[in-house]
Amino acid sequence: MSPKMTTELLKQLRQVMKSPKYVQEPVQAYIVPSGDAHQSEYIAPCDCRRAFISGFDGSAGTAIVTEQHAAMWTDGRYFLQAAHQMDNNWTLMKMGLKDTPTQEDWLVSVLPEGSKVGVDPFIIPADQWKRMSKALRNAGHDLVPVKENLIDTIWTDCPQRPCKPLITLDLSYTGVSWRDKIVALRAKMAERKVLWFVVTALDEVAWLFNLRGSDVEYNPVFFAYAVIGMNTIRLFIDGDRMMDPAVREHLQLDSTLEPEFKIQVMPYGSILSELQAVGAGLSPKEKVWLSDKASYALTEAIPKAYRYLTPYTPICIAKAVKNASETEGMRRAHVPKGTVTEIIAADKAEEFRSQQKDFVELSFATISSTGPNGAIIHYKPVPETNRTLSVNEIYLLDSGAQYKDGTTDVTRTMHFGTPSPYEKECFTYVLKGHIAVSAAIFPNGTKGHLLDSFARSALWDCGLDYLHGTGHGVGSFLNVHEGPCGISYKTFADEPLEAGMIVSDEPGYYEDGSFGIRIENVVLVVPAETKYNFKNRGSLTFEPLTLVPIQTKMIDVNLLTQKECNWVNDYHQKCREVIGAELERQGRHEALRWLIRETEPLIRV
Amino acid sequence: MSPKMTTELLKQLRQVMKSPKYVQEPVQAYIVPSGDAHQSEYIAPCDCRRAFISGFDGSAGTAIVTEQHAAMWTDGRYFLQAAHQMDNNWTLMKMGLKDTPTQEDWLVSVLPEGSKVGVDPFIIPADQWKRMSKALRNAGHDLVPVKENLIDTIWTDCPQRPCKPLITLDLSYTGVSWRDKIVALRAKMAERKVLWFVVTALDEVAWLFNLRGSDVEYNPVFFAYAVIGMNTIRLFIDGDRMMDPAVREHLQLDSTLEPEFKIQVMPYGSILSELQAVGAGLSPKEKVWLSDKASYALTEAIPKAYRYLTPYTPICIAKAVKNASETEGMRRAHVPKGTVTEIIAADKAEEFRSQQKDFVELSFATISSTGPNGAIIHYKPVPETNRTLSVNEIYLLDSGAQYKDGTTDVTRTMHFGTPSPYEKECFTYVLKGHIAVSAAIFPNGTKGHLLDSFARSALWDCGLDYLHGTGHGVGSFLNVHEGPCGISYKTFADEPLEAGMIVSDEPGYYEDGSFGIRIENVVLVVPAETKYNFKNRGSLTFEPLTLVPIQTKMIDVNLLTQKECNWVNDYHQKCREVIGAELERQGRHEALRWLIRETEPLIRV
């Protein structure tokens, strides 16, 4: 990788920062955040503005350009990559290190008195705007919204915003019709005494209307907003997508409907003016519900007194709790997939996946890594680093796909020769952590962060650990990472776990320069039977949806308790039953023999 | 308990709420918080204003009186008690229940338009003022500071503010002189670029000057503030206490000192005007450091631009990490105490404690409860509820004391007859939780809330749980509850655990109407030896300071793993060695025989 040359681009950007064509007054600094207008984790190529201006294309980072400086804030996962991809015009700000200034502090230290700092109000979330704006104001500066995105003005070959065809999902996949979802949403709105609800996250729009798209790689979503009133439904979406008869039929656009279920289709770009009109027409006590992560532009469209902001929207929470059709779909989606450079293995895994019924696309870029590459947690094989799989090194494969009936995400760590005792020891600690979470019983209403230490306890006992969370929420044919639940030492305001939620369970251990180990299943939160029932609260546990053998060759059986040993044997028995039956049906006898071999019961001596 | 009659008192309060003698403009509501001017957990009788006006004397609660209503907010621990203690003038607001309005929402719902809500600015913490003030302003009302406390104006027999003699602690107890503490504090101030530091918490003043008092029951503290500059030390304190030659000598009040160590003693009541003078004399960039829990009155004395507010002060954090003299003292403080109505048992425990060297007072009101009383977590025996200890019921004793060398807090649960299999089962789960925390190994920098679930796992497996945190920070001859560390499912912003911190480990199980079980040790955070050392972070574990046998009769040995069984046996061996030697020295042979009997090794079958 050679760094991107940005001298000319930065010169152009600094010109438009002063150009009356784009800014009312010159701005002395311009902020380029990572995200798009929908706070998406994965973004479309046309939204990769920070990568365009800097060369750094990791998933997280914020660029700030002043007249004299260009600085990039990113976290520990990306220090190396950012340093490789950026030229000398850029200063790397290593977040999480003690001496690294915050963006606000840095701005205050470099800006001349009374400066203006510009940002695209559609890209910056309202909560970030508020924090940044306050810090700058306290130091005598101003954060100002710049309507036209300044990167777009210099990005001559910027790709078009994607506008791919939509997929309609019928009741057999979704379990609930979009009409019923609207009814439930309006009930929540009535409960909170709000009149309007603004849907800004792409996966929330997709879930609400039982539609999917492919505008963003790995995420089956499409660019759209929705504004739901008590008697109106407005969908803001572009292109010919609404000309597709299947979509028209699905949304009943040409049917005679009660007015409160009639969908008004409007141009994607008209959301701001429509929302401003809503805001202008409100009477006292009429409130509009928005996520507090919605863009500053949309939040500002509603006068402050009329805003009702919450960290999690009712759609986010409803979406996290899967209904019977969705959990059945997730179960189906997890039944077969097959399993010899890293790239070939990744391609092969993708090929096997794509042969399965209802396959749509991958749910994220496959991580296929061997030996020391495995220790790079977000490794994605490219020709320069591609290593040959060998019988001497540990191989880690983290892959997933989007099926019409669900989203998968599984990691297995394998050795094709003879693992060292140390490799087995580490693998077994990771497995003990995986089991400790998967088999945990906990009260209804427990938040995921309270389970995180169970995954680490066996590693901690020996002085080991891993520097990532243990699990994330998983969408149902939606984003492979979704809120509001998860399992992490970070106590972000996660919502309590409840039956029907789906999360990943993926502890690991990574030894720099040597190997990486991770064991990941997608698991469903289910009610647990317990001997007693304190305060009638009920208990929960997890059911693994992923059914892929865990390589027994890597396990040091004597480090397992009998209970842990039984867990592995029961899990492998289930793999045999469910996956074996499907392999048999598909006539894949070689795979079946492999399955039987890999699921032989463990015996403690 | 019969409720306090408050009709007349409320009438008087409503009169002064309109009296130009006390308020600039009439206030339509008056807030009576729980605390004192130092955000203390335990308060002096003269500060029990909320109890005076309402009758409710639990440790947590806020009263609000309007022209028409009187309402009391308290939490689940106190619903019953508050209902008993308050008459019909009062509405009980049960915090934590879904339909209970917040204080702000309730005020907005009952107040006439444009109301003024009064509060004593010395009693309300700045962060609470900010939240309340904002909510009221949004609804068109105003929160106003009322200088004279309105309860005090009608409290004719209000007790005097205590002004008891001080105790000086020499280096053998504190390990660090007050001069060196000032030097370290000034270094922290320089690091953060602040010129002044305001000490408002009573235990922080006591710790800083190596002084103790007895103004507040159970807490060896005294009423005082301190303001530390880079070249000045001001101590705000009343009474003849500064006439005591031992105190004068300790503080070197009559010595010739470098000016930066010369303590200026000022009247307690002059803190506000002195702080206002400091605030008025500041130049740009000169900051004053305060806790964000300091009173609104003191916070407002410093203009906003000059304030530096943090949730934990550097004293709070330094105080939590005990030095060698303090940990040695804590160890000594935990060596003997003796162990047949609840009250007699409690009195006896107190008597035994008070015979020990360096005893000062109890560290909290002894909880001595038998049978169903044990299920009331904050139970304190009084004649009306006093039960006779019997051979048929579980007995729970939670007691602690202040010694000059440390603070203790221990709970043991015992049966004097034959416990039922169910009682033993529950006790054993609690013990497993206690051991899981006590024996846990975890990386340096781990926050206490990540250990909380270890204490619950065995209970959760059977559908049981307890509704309180697992541990709190413990002061060194200071408050038995102190920040900034603890072990709780509540993720209050706790600071990471580090070697030298002291916390309690006290899981429990409570069955309403039947019994209560709790096993509590005070434990010291110590470095742990591990096989590996990931990223060179180092590991920590706990060393029990409390050495009191855990009743083996209550343990179902077959529910313990071999590792847990070994933990109990090792712990009991240490009790024999350390406590046995001391009992022998004191010639207490009966107690020694009891100790030997109670520490017989467990054997798993």
Side-chain angles (χ1 to χ4, degrees), chain A residues 98 130 134 191 304 422 425-426 429 439-443 446 449-454 456-457 460-467 488-491 509-512 529-535 537 539 563, chain B residues 98 130 134 191 304 422 425-426 429 439-443 446 449-454 456-457 460-467 488-491 509-512 529-535 537 539 563:
Chain A
K98 217 177 134 219
K130 196 174 160 186
K134 192 176 164 190
E191 201 182 296
K304 202 168 170 184
Y422 178 60
E425 183 185 359
C426 294
Y429 296 147
I441 293 174
F442 49 92
T446 300
H449 67 256
L450 290 171
L451 307 179
D452 185 74
S453 300
F454 290 155
R456 299 177 200 272
S457 183
W460 282 357
D461 277 346
C462 291
L464 303 180
D465 199 2
Y466 54 96
L467 301 182
S488 175
Y489 56 95
K490 290 177 196 153
T491 55
Y509 176 67
Y510 311 89
E511 187 131 321
D512 284 351
E529 286 301 316
T530 52
K531 189 168 174 190
Y532 307 111
N533 187 7
F534 181 65
K535 302 266 180 206
R537 284 191 304 182
S539 292
K563 223 171 127 186
Chain B
K98 217 178 134 219
K130 196 173 160 186
K134 191 175 165 190
E191 201 182 296
K304 201 167 170 184
Y422 178 60
E425 183 186 357
C426 294
Y429 295 148
I441 293 173
F442 48 91
T446 300
H449 68 255
L450 291 170
L451 308 179
D452 184 73
S453 299
F454 290 154
R456 299 176 199 273
S457 183
W460 282 357
D461 277 346
C462 292
L464 303 180
D465 199 2
Y466 54 96
L467 301 181
S488 175
Y489 56 96
K490 290 177 198 155
T491 55
Y509 176 67
Y510 311 90
E511 188 131 322
D512 284 350
E529 286 301 316
T530 53
K531 188 168 173 188
Y532 306 112
N533 187 7
F534 180 66
K535 302 265 179 206
R537 284 191 302 182
S539 293
K563 221 170 129 186

Side-chain angles (χ1 to χ4, degrees), chain A residues 350-362:
Chain A
E350 183 170 346
E351 185 194 321
F352 281 129
R353 287 194 175 289
S354 67
Q355 291 165 356
Q356 302 302 321
K357 181 168 177 291
D358 284 335
F359 175 85
V360 180
E361 62 166 341
L362 295 187

Side-chain angles (χ1 to χ4, degrees), chain B residues 196-252:
Chain B
W196 299 90
F197 181 83
V198 185
V199 197
T200 58
L202 298 185
D203 63 337
E204 298 191 10
V205 179
W207 180 87
L208 183 61
F209 291 103
N210 291 334
L211 290 171
R212 297 295 187 268
S214 53
D215 289 355
V216 178
E217 197 182 18
Y218 307 128
N219 292 204
V221 296
F222 51 91
F223 285 101
Y225 293 100
V227 176
I228 312 300
M230 293 316 260
N231 297 299
T232 54
I233 304 173
R234 294 181 199 162
L235 177 61
F236 299 81
I237 187 166
D238 272 352
D240 301 335
R241 307 196 271 201
M242 290 296 128
M243 306 305 288
D244 177 342
V247 172
R248 296 194 74 80
E249 158 99 40
H250 175 82
L251 296 177
Q252 299 183 262

Side-chain angles (χ1 to χ4, degrees), chain A residues 248-249 251-257 262:
Chain A
R248 295 194 75 78
E249 159 99 42
L251 296 177
Q252 298 182 269
L253 295 181
D254 305 310
S255 317
T256 315
L257 280 179
K262 190 84 196 156

Side-chain angles (χ1 to χ4, degrees), chain B residues 351-373:
Chain B
E351 185 194 323
F352 281 130
R353 287 194 176 291
S354 65
Q355 292 165 356
Q356 303 302 320
K357 179 167 179 293
D358 283 336
F359 175 85
V360 180
E361 62 166 341
L362 294 186
S363 58
F364 55 92
T366 299
I367 299 174
S368 167
S369 58
T370 184
N373 286 341

Side-chain angles (χ1 to χ4, degrees), chain B residues 6-24:
Chain B
T6 60
T7 305
E8 189 50 38
L9 281 177
L10 287 170
K11 200 173 132 196
Q12 290 173 15
L13 177 59
R14 286 170 179 138
Q15 274 163 1
V16 295
M17 283 163 59
K18 287 180 289 197
S19 160
K21 193 169 157 199
Y22 302 116
V23 289
Q24 286 190 308

Side-chain angles (χ1 to χ4, degrees), chain A residues 137-182:
Chain A
R137 205 168 44 240
N138 280 347
H141 308 295
D142 261 325
L143 185 64
V144 298
V146 179
K147 271 189 196 158
E148 188 129 9
N149 189 294
L150 297 186
I151 301 296
D152 293 358
T153 65
I154 61 170
W155 193 354
T156 47
D157 57 346
C158 175
Q160 284 279 308
R161 182 162 299 281
C163 199
K164 307 270 184 66
L166 302 183
I167 299 171
T168 62
L169 289 184
D170 64 31
L171 267 183
S172 70
Y173 291 106
T174 65
V176 182
S177 69
W178 63 260
R179 276 183 66 135
D180 287 347
K181 288 181 178 178
I182 295 275

